[in-house]
Amino acid sequence: MATVAAPRYRPIGKLNHDHSAAWRHLDLVLIVVVAAVSGLGLLMVYSATRGVEQPYDTSYLTKQFMFIVLGVTAMAVVTMIDYRKIRDVAPMIYGASIGLLVLVRSPLGSRQNGTQGWFQIGPFQLQPSELAKVGLIIGFAWVASQFRGEIDARRFVTLLALGALPMALVMLQPDLGTTLVSAAITLVLLVLAGSRPRQLILLGLAAAIPIGLILHSGLLGSTQQDRLTSFVNQDQASKADLQDASAAEYNLLQSKIAIGSGGWTGKGVFAGTQTRLNNVPFQHTDFIFTAVGEQLGLLGAASLLAAFSVMVWRIFRTAQLARDDFGMLICAGVLAMFVFQIFENVGMTMGIMPITGIPLPFMSYGGSSTITYLVAIGLVLNVHMRRFA
Amino acid sequence: MRFGAIGIVMISLFAALFARLWFLQVMTAPQYEVAAENNRVRVVQIEAPRGQIKDRRGNVLVGNRRSIVVTVDWQQYDRLDRPEQSALLGRLAKALTDDAARRAAGAIPAGDPGSATSPSTTGSTSTSGSTTTSTTAPAGTVVVGQDQPAPVTADQLEKRLADPRFSHFKPVPVATEVSEDLEIYLTEHADEFPTVAAERITVRDYRYGQLLAHVLGYVGAINSDELKAYQNEDKAYEEDDEIGKSGIERSMERQLRGRPGEVRYEVDARNVPVRRLDGGRAPVPGNDVYLSIDINLQYLAEKALAAQLRVVQTKPGGICDTAGCQQGGFSGSVVVEDPRDGTILAMASNPTYDPSEFVGGISTGAYAALTSKGNHEPLFNKAISGMYAPGSTWKLFSAYAGLSSGQITPGTTVDDQGQYKVQNCDESGGARCTFRGFHNVKNNTVNLSSAITRSSDVYFYKLGDEMWINRGRLGDDALAKAYRQWGFGADTGLDLPGESDGRVPDPKWLAGFAKALYPKDRRLAEENGTWRSGTNLNTAIGQGDVLVTPLQLANGYSAFANGGTLYQPRLVLQVARYDSNTALVTTKPKAVRNIQMAPDWRAAILEGLKGVTQPGGRGTASATFDGFPMDVFTVAGKTGTAEVKGPDSRAKVSTSLFAAFAPADAPTIVAAAILPEADTGGSAAAPLIRRIFEPLAASGGDLSRLPAAPLGGAFDVDEAVRETTAPPTETVD
């Protein structure tokens, strides 16, 4: 779609006022940035999974490429359907995502790393918690847009409940990371839906209680508890011998070694020893940023962050330009999701955020997540190109 | 407005990420670069062969030989399934047990595929230790080559593999000294024994068997204290490395140890080696150490010691004195020194042990046997660590004390009627006033020379008594001061670990000793801690609290023999690189002090010492040296018979001592022998020294013309007993 060029004899300025062809208002900058980051992601996933010696393992590369193709297809479909038509089926989308979250708790779902959050479909795994983030955004935007900025206590609680339901289900898996993303989405949407400052302050105070309870109960599971402690005790962890470190301390230390040793320009693609020798656990998924930091150095990692900034800026701008509240809230939700995930993911690899299992958009290996993010971009493109009609 | 707030939050978050990225990749990058490199590279050490130990003529005493060791590659083994692992260990245990049984039955020889190429003879640049075959066997390896082969079980093997002392980067040794047959079998059935390999390794090779065992020492796996004390960058030690545990192997550890080679591997996150990196270095063998020992003389000394002990042990009816008849001759030691420079020519301690027992690890039971009192502590080097009352051998030094203090002159005579009454003695005070000479023998009028020749106790009782009477002028420790001149009461500084100080008592020492003995009872402490005339008398004849080591005795006589220079005795002549004879270190004679002796003093004492061994004379060893060719090889010496009380205060069989030098007028050799529980000096220690001096006399005193000691160092004790022309006589001290 991006390759369709506008006729040359027409002044570009005029395109903005041509209401008849929505696809002419496509956000090309966003598309280019997403394509560039996804391409870099492919390369990084390959470098992190190809192994030490020939024959190199290309299975992850192939699969990730397939996910991107599937995701782009889904994105195209989502972009083409007018988002106001999507609004009509919003309750069904929200309901379906909740249904999947319930279903994954049944024996149909499978367990991995202590979390029951996957459907095993042949060789592929579907992670409903990823899809549910888009479900939440659409459902929330649908309800909130009907309130037209008039949020009384009942409406506030209704909106809160919309966000809390998927959060609670994901927390039960348990998947702390995705729960936090949903929380970030809900919070930003509450703010932009027109909640009163008083309501938000009360919410903040009330949230402190369940957060404290969760931290002190066994609900988090040992892995998550360990990750939080290792974040708090980071100074000790960096001094600790790698042999004695707990899994999370080890992960964080190896991650910092990988990024730090990259220096200004990095060690070159396929030349990063930490990445090549598989020293950072989960380096092709949650810790993919270490591969960038080590192999491409500050130059590469900062460029990636810059690309993410542009992406976020384009989504932010679309939210402002949206012609209605529904479109605005969808973009704001996607914005919250990306910003939180990027900050949390990159932050945890560098030791300024606790370790949680959140993928880095368009970089981390994974089907459900890649498709979800491309669909989310599709929604933003949709709102952007239909901002006049 | 709300968009603005959210925008600001987003910008701050991204700013935080950029800042952190800058911190990690620019400000602290060097530290992480080092960490990443350490993460990637593992350095595996290849142990280098130890240097050789040679005698003064370059005969190799300790070399290295190849041994076959069975190893399991843990890295590969770990990848096998559990059932595969146990099946493999079961098969391996059976193969090892069979091999051990066949070797024990003598069906096949223990695996020695020939001695290793001596590094010093390989002139080429190829270091024989550049391959994995140069690793030495860590101690504690299951030795399957013992007398009664206990079956090897899969359980043992599994424990061995899990033992944290063994690096999982190197193949783990599970059996040493296996036969070549087993090596071939394992190689041919490699498919049945995955991860198992038979490797040829270097172990210590004792060319002369048990000879010189105490001086050479043995090697074993390094312990944590040694790891701390010996660690250095050039010759780094690892957990299961070999280190010298005793003797020269220990005192010359820093020279003998080779420089380990290094192989660098790149490893992945699970520490599995991924590939071998360039760099690293080949191992360099340790330096060779040349000892002052003459192995041919050592052979004579050990043979003589063993033979003489056998004679004492098998004396019909045991050894009889006034206390009755008892068995004796359980242990003994002899030191032979060159008086001209203090070098040790031979040093023997009996009972002895086989250092090759330690190759590949010694069992706890065998080690306990080597250190048990019941077996007379074979591991213990009595020549430097054993402390004995010197008896009449002490009279040489007492004579010096008398002469140097002016108490006597060479012409001083005493009428020896077999006993001595202490002057001004107050018997009512409980003190002993009458001291009897040995066996109450009456020597009549004796001067200094004849007092030494006949070992007159009364002469030296009188000397001791009068020196005590004159303590106001001479000092109450005049005797002790004189003895210390000759190196007694302190270790000699020999380059061998484990030397004892001996003991030279004086009034101050006695008071402190009694105080420590009776900390609660002041009266007893005072009574036992008071130095009286009698104490001085006993000290003067080498009884009482005097203790010497055989090495101190030999060194003291050497100082007299060479005219008064007390040398620090030494064993190491030089250290040379493994591939050349160029000396890196050459030791020089080190004189501790010159002892002033007027010519007439020395002449009188020498005359007395010559008389001791004078065939047909009245010396205490005259009978022993009957028929000895004194005309070609004059021996001068002094016997000693020290009366010892056992722990139950019952008199034990006396300690037999003899110290001698030859040729008497230009001494080139000094020998001292001490045999506890072996009767008089003339009956045991003196014949022992004669056994050593006879072949020397036959070669005209020239060490280089002595018959060569056989490789393996074995001798038949009964045959050795007959190898002397000495008459089987009993003499008195």
Side-chain angles (χ1 to χ4, degrees):
Chain A
M1 293 176 302
T3 54
V4 179
R8 269 190 196 171
Y9 53 83
R10 255 192 212 193
I12 287 174
K14 281 206 162 184
L15 278 172
N16 293 343
H17 303 287
D18 187 346
H19 298 185
S20 61
W23 55 267
R24 292 196 174 156
H25 302 298
L26 259 183
D27 187 349
L28 291 176
V29 175
L30 184 58
I31 289 172
V32 167
V33 170
V34 168
V37 174
S38 302
L40 180 67
L42 268 179
L43 182 64
M44 289 298 110
V45 165
Y46 178 55
S47 75
T49 58
R50 69 174 201 154
V52 186
E53 55 200 0
Q54 284 175 317
Y56 294 122
D57 185 354
T58 54
S59 63
Y60 285 89
L61 175 69
T62 328
K63 280 198 252 175
Q64 181 67 7
F65 182 72
M66 238 172 60
F67 297 147
I68 291 175
V69 170
L70 277 174
V72 167
T73 312
M75 180 179 83
V77 171
V78 169
T79 311
M80 277 190 281
I81 303 167
D82 191 324
Y83 70 94
R84 281 152 297 200
K85 282 186 185 139
I86 294 176
R87 183 170 57 188
D88 298 339
V89 291
M92 279 194 277
I93 294 172
Y94 181 81
S97 63
I98 296 296
L100 281 174
L101 285 179
V102 173
L103 200 61
V104 84
R105 307 275 312 144
S106 76
L108 283 173
S110 52
R111 183 169 272 273
Q112 192 180 315
N113 292 340
T115 297
Q116 176 133 7
W118 283 271
F119 292 113
Q120 191 74 40
I121 305 163
F124 297 105
Q125 292 160 336
L126 181 73
Q127 202 176 348
S129 60
E130 288 293 337
L131 302 176
K133 288 188 281 195
V134 173
L136 166 64
I137 292 168
I138 293 174
F140 195 107
W142 173 65
V143 175
S145 62
Q146 293 171 12
F147 296 158
R148 299 179 186 282
E150 296 296 321
I151 309 288
D152 57 19
R154 239 187 66 212
R155 287 179 169 181
F156 184 76
V157 171
T158 309
L159 290 176
L160 198 56
L162 271 177
L165 182 59
M167 275 166 64
L169 287 168
V170 174
M171 196 62 227
L172 280 174
Q173 294 184 356
D175 181 348
L176 179 65
T178 312
T179 311
L180 290 174
V181 178
S182 301
I185 294 171
T186 307
L187 184 68
V188 168
L189 288 180
L190 279 174
V191 170
L192 290 180
S195 304
R196 310 274 153 79
R198 198 180 32 183
Q199 292 167 333
L200 292 170
I201 290 166
L202 269 173
L203 174 66
L205 292 176
I209 297 165
I211 287 172
L213 278 178
I214 286 169
L215 285 179
H216 282 93
S217 70
L219 205 60
L220 279 181
S222 60
T223 313
Q224 271 132 346
Q225 200 90 47
D226 176 31
R227 286 174 160 188
L228 280 176
T229 0
S230 74
F231 171 68
V232 177
N233 300 330
Q234 220 178 116
D235 285 343
Q236 284 164 304
S238 60
K239 278 175 217 145
D241 189 350
L242 279 175
Q243 315 278 331
D244 301 332
S246 74
E249 284 168 350
Y250 178 86
N251 218 321
L252 178 54
L253 193 47
Q254 289 286 21
S255 170
K256 287 204 280 186
I257 290 173
I259 296 171
S261 65
W264 279 97
T265 54
K267 300 174 190 170
V269 179
F270 306 134
T273 55
Q274 291 282 96
T275 307
R276 183 161 54 84
L277 299 170
N278 211 358
N279 277 336
V280 189
F282 310 112
Q283 60 175 358
H284 62 298
T285 56
D286 294 350
F287 281 83
I288 191 75
F289 190 72
T290 63
V292 182
E294 186 186 25
Q295 299 179 92
L296 305 176
L298 182 69
L299 215 62
S303 303
L304 175 62
L305 289 183
F308 275 130
S309 309
V310 171
M311 190 189 292
V312 165
W313 164 58
R314 295 308 291 187
I315 300 169
F316 182 80
R317 190 172 157 271
T318 307
Q320 285 180 311
L321 293 177
R323 62 174 291 133
D324 52 28
D325 279 357
F326 180 66
M328 181 271 283
L329 287 171
I330 282 185
C331 292
V334 172
L335 177 72
M337 174 173 83
F338 281 151
V339 170
F340 183 80
Q341 292 205 191
I342 291 165
F343 180 71
E344 161 59 30
N345 180 286
V346 176
M348 79 174 178
T349 61
M350 298 194 295
I352 55 171
M353 287 296 282
I355 297 179
T356 48
I358 295 179
L360 185 59
F362 309 108
M363 294 292 296
S364 291
Y365 170 83
S368 306
S369 54
T370 304
I371 293 168
T372 301
Y373 305 139
L374 284 166
V375 165
I377 291 294
L379 286 172
V380 175
L381 289 174
N382 195 334
V383 173
H384 187 270
M385 73 186 202
R386 291 190 175 85
R387 62 189 186 274
F388 301 118
Chain B
M1 199 276 264
R2 295 197 168 187
F3 270 110
I6 286 173
I8 289 167
V9 169
M10 283 171 6
I11 290 169
S12 339
L13 292 181
F14 272 91
L17 292 182
F18 277 111
R20 180 66 175 175
L21 198 58
W22 175 269
F23 176 77
L24 284 180
Q25 296 197 302
V26 177
M27 295 172 65
T28 55
Q31 138 197 0
Y32 290 115
E33 276 159 24
V34 173
E37 186 67 8
N38 290 343
N39 249 348
R40 177 177 83 102
V41 180
R42 291 286 175 282
V43 177
V44 177
Q45 277 197 18
I46 309 291
E47 213 170 334
R50 285 177 81 80
Q52 300 187 331
I53 304 177
K54 303 180 179 182
D55 83 346
R56 67 192 298 136
R57 270 176 247 297
N59 294 309
V60 177
L61 306 178
V62 185
N64 299 303
R65 71 181 158 82
R66 297 281 165 90
S67 165
I68 305 171
V69 60
V70 178
T71 62
V72 173
D73 184 329
W74 189 85
Q75 300 281 3
Q76 293 177 31
Y77 172 83
D78 195 44
R79 287 178 208 168
L80 299 178
D81 298 341
R82 192 74 198 95
E84 277 178 336
Q85 288 180 346
S86 38
L88 169 68
L89 291 189
R91 279 195 299 272
L92 183 58
K94 188 175 174 304
L96 291 175
T97 309
D98 289 353
D99 184 61
R102 289 179 66 202
R103 265 180 297 121
I108 43 172
D112 181 4
S115 51
T117 322
S118 163
S120 56
T121 55
T122 38
S124 69
T125 50
S126 78
T127 45
S128 63
S130 59
T131 63
T132 50
T133 55
S134 67
T135 49
T136 41
T141 310
V142 183
V143 180
V144 291
Q146 298 299 318
D147 296 342
Q148 295 155 326
V152 181
T153 64
D155 219 35
Q156 280 175 358
L157 296 178
E158 198 170 346
K159 265 190 203 137
R160 165 52 65 104
L161 287 175
D163 194 331
R165 288 188 304 134
F166 296 98
S167 158
H168 283 168
F169 282 97
K170 295 187 210 171
V172 178
V174 295
T176 55
E177 307 266 338
V178 302
S179 72
E180 225 169 339
D181 285 17
L182 182 65
E183 182 192 23
I184 295 166
Y185 178 79
L186 289 177
T187 315
E188 283 178 351
H189 297 76
D191 49 331
E192 286 175 42
F193 295 99
T195 79
V196 177
E199 270 182 53
R200 297 189 168 199
I201 58 156
T202 309
V203 296
R204 271 320 216 185
D205 182 25
Y206 300 91
R207 301 284 162 82
Y208 289 91
Q210 302 194 4
L211 285 195
L212 205 65
H214 295 95
V215 170
L216 297 173
Y218 57 91
V219 293
I222 193 165
N223 64 35
S224 53
D225 291 343
E226 289 163 340
L227 204 51
K228 248 179 259 159
Y230 281 84
Q231 200 54 269
N232 69 76
E233 275 175 22
D234 188 38
K235 297 178 178 181
Y237 289 85
E238 284 191 324
E239 206 56 37
D240 52 349
D241 277 357
E242 278 195 327
I243 190 168
K245 291 285 185 182
S246 73
I248 289 293
E249 292 273 24
R250 175 160 164 192
S251 61
M252 298 304 287
E253 169 68 21
R254 288 180 202 280
Q255 295 286 357
L256 289 168
R257 179 166 175 80
R259 186 162 170 260
E262 277 182 359
V263 180
R264 292 153 53 86
Y265 290 102
E266 187 170 81
V267 294
D268 69 6
R270 288 170 306 138
N271 258 340
V272 175
V274 175
R275 68 193 169 98
R276 198 173 157 161
L277 298 171
D278 293 339
R281 62 184 191 207
V284 181
N287 295 326
D288 291 347
V289 170
Y290 287 75
L291 300 183
S292 57
I293 294 290
D294 184 307
I295 193 64
N296 303 332
L297 187 66
Q298 177 73 22
Y299 180 67
L300 290 178
E302 299 217 16
K303 212 163 63 161
L305 179 59
Q308 197 60 43
L309 286 174
R310 174 69 55 89
V311 168
V312 175
Q313 282 159 10
T314 57
K315 194 171 274 183
I319 302 152
C320 302
D321 55 18
T322 48
C325 296
Q326 293 174 63
Q327 292 296 312
F330 306 115
S331 66
S333 51
V334 57
V335 175
V336 185
E337 181 173 338
D338 187 333
R340 294 167 296 182
D341 59 4
T343 53
I344 302 299
L345 298 171
M347 180 180 280
S349 176
N350 195 295
T352 185
Y353 69 96
D354 186 351
S356 61
E357 268 192 68
F358 286 87
V359 170
I362 187 165
S363 69
T364 321
Y367 187 81
L370 290 184
T371 49
S372 94
K373 283 235 187 297
N375 294 340
H376 304 280
E377 299 167 307
L379 213 48
F380 188 63
N381 185 1
K382 295 168 185 67
I384 61 168
S385 314
M387 296 198 286
Y388 308 92
S392 301
T393 56
W394 202 232
K395 286 171 183 165
L396 161 59
F397 311 108
S398 295
Y400 169 79
L403 291 166
S404 62
S405 66
Q407 190 59 48
I408 55 170
T409 65
T412 305
T413 58
V414 170
D415 183 26
D416 177 0
Q417 288 305 318
Q419 58 182 37
Y420 179 75
K421 193 155 181 339
V422 179
Q423 299 170 40
N424 313 323
C425 187
D426 180 14
E427 217 149 344
S428 63
R432 202 171 128 208
C433 286
T434 308
F435 284 74
R436 303 200 303 192
F438 189 78
H439 290 190
N440 291 328
V441 175
K442 293 178 187 173
N443 291 309
N444 299 316
T445 304
V446 287
N447 62 11
L448 180 59
S449 294
S450 52
I452 288 173
T453 297
R454 301 187 205 163
S455 201
S456 162
D457 285 344
V458 172
Y459 190 94
F460 289 93
Y461 282 150
K462 183 159 187 286
L463 173 63
D465 193 11
E466 283 169 356
M467 282 184 76
W468 182 246
I469 288 165
N470 293 328
R471 65 182 178 275
R473 177 166 52 87
L474 303 175
D476 64 0
D477 58 349
L479 277 179
K481 272 186 175 160
Y483 298 141
R484 290 195 189 109
Q485 288 276 305
W486 298 85
F488 295 101
D491 69 69
T492 64
L494 180 73
D495 37 10
L496 208 58
E499 221 191 310
S500 296
D501 283 344
R503 185 166 68 204
V504 173
D506 61 23
K508 214 167 134 193
W509 168 83
L510 186 65
F513 184 77
K515 214 177 244 173
L517 201 59
Y518 304 104
K520 298 258 164 71
D521 193 330
R522 268 185 73 183
R523 195 188 57 82
L524 265 178
E526 202 149 295
E527 192 178 302
N528 288 281
T530 310
W531 191 280
R532 302 167 205 277
S533 302
T535 327
N536 232 34
L537 264 62
N538 270 331
T539 303
I541 62 158
Q543 291 283 167
D545 294 312
V546 186
L547 290 175
V548 302
T549 67
L551 174 66
Q552 285 175 334
L553 192 59
N555 205 43
Y557 271 79
S558 290
F560 178 81
N562 66 31
T565 306
L566 183 74
Y567 285 106
Q568 177 175 322
R570 64 199 155 103
L571 271 163
V572 175
L573 285 185
Q574 65 171 38
V575 175
R577 267 183 64 92
Y578 75 97
D579 54 357
S580 73
N581 291 323
T582 326
L584 296 169
V585 180
T586 306
T587 61
K588 290 188 177 64
K590 192 178 164 199
V592 178
R593 70 174 66 87
N594 278 301
I595 301 159
Q596 298 303 318
M597 279 190 288
D600 60 327
W601 304 355
R602 187 171 185 276
I605 296 174
L606 182 59
E607 194 194 326
L609 294 175
K610 278 181 180 170
V612 170
T613 54
Q614 186 65 49
R618 299 187 62 185
T620 50
S622 288
T624 305
F625 279 87
D626 196 24
F628 188 86
M630 287 291 176
D631 47 336
V632 291
F633 200 63
T634 333
V635 177
K638 182 73 195 80
T639 55
T641 306
E643 289 166 10
V644 189
K645 280 184 181 147
D648 52 356
S649 287
R650 262 192 66 216
K652 287 212 291 193
V653 178
S654 300
T655 303
S656 171
L657 302 99
F658 191 63
F661 52 88
D665 294 310
T668 58
I669 194 159
V670 169
I674 302 186
L675 310 178
E677 299 179 70
D679 206 359
T680 60
S683 68
L688 193 169
I689 298 297
R690 175 172 176 159
R691 286 171 181 275
I692 299 172
F693 280 178
E694 265 174 10
L696 258 177
S699 64
D702 185 354
L703 285 177
S704 62
R705 286 171 55 201
L706 284 177
L711 281 176
F715 53 81
D716 182 79
V717 181
D718 290 318
E719 207 169 282
V721 166
R722 292 187 290 271
E723 277 178 11
T724 180
T725 56
T729 48
E730 296 234 5
T731 45
V732 293
D733 179 296

